[in-house]
Amino acid sequence: MPHINAAAALQICMLLSALPAQYFISLWYGTDPAQRIQITERLIIASWSSFSKSCLSLDAWAGRLKLWLSKTRTCLNIGLLILHFRNWYYGEKKTKSGDHEAETHSYFAESSHVRSPRPEYIQFSVGQVIVHKRFGYSGVIVGWDAKANAPEEQQQHKYPPVKQDLKDTPHYRILINKANGFGKSTAYIPEEEITVIMGLEV
């Protein structure tokens, strides 16, 4: 069976609709052949004019493209705002009292589970400004984990055998201040490498 493309399908549809269209026109407007021809011509011209204005006009396509882009941009902006708010808000929450702590579904302090109130052994909270003790960059805490929550390969690379105990200490996701000139925009570091700058908020 031969493959039918869109242009061929459109031509077949127009041919198949011509006979019923002529029949209905003759019923509605009389049987005079001259009248039928005039009405058919007017119908075809009106249909073509409407089709060309809506489908063949550059202005119509530009308008559709602008509308689609504005909707896409709005959806993306709303999605990003929701994602940032969710990461900020849920980073401070815990499961309801009495329930066991829910497993996180992502690494590096990006849990989507409610973790409130924060356990007492988690010293720092989201929104506090910190300085890295060794590297000296500053940043703000945007999330935390009770212990290191990263892929096993990365933990083995980051924590040599002498520092294995650090994996079981609280870890924080830091949004790094780009003014420090540090290469990365975020870091995931253990509690012992953080010093909080008191009285400074973001």
Side-chain angles (χ1 to χ4, degrees), residues 47-59:
S47 299
W48 175 254
S49 175
S50 173
F51 174 77
S52 63
K53 282 179 185 174
S54 63
C55 296
L56 301 180
S57 166
L58 288 177
D59 291 336

Side-chain angles (χ1 to χ4, degrees), residues 8 44 72 106 134:
I44 290 171
T72 304
S106 58
R134 199 160 27 117

Side-chain angles (χ1 to χ4, degrees), residues 88-107:
W88 168 80
Y89 181 74
Y90 289 123
E92 278 295 310
K93 305 296 181 180
K94 191 185 168 202
T95 54
K96 294 178 184 175
S97 59
D99 291 348
H100 61 85
E101 188 169 340
E103 293 180 15
T104 57
H105 294 285
S106 58
Y107 295 124

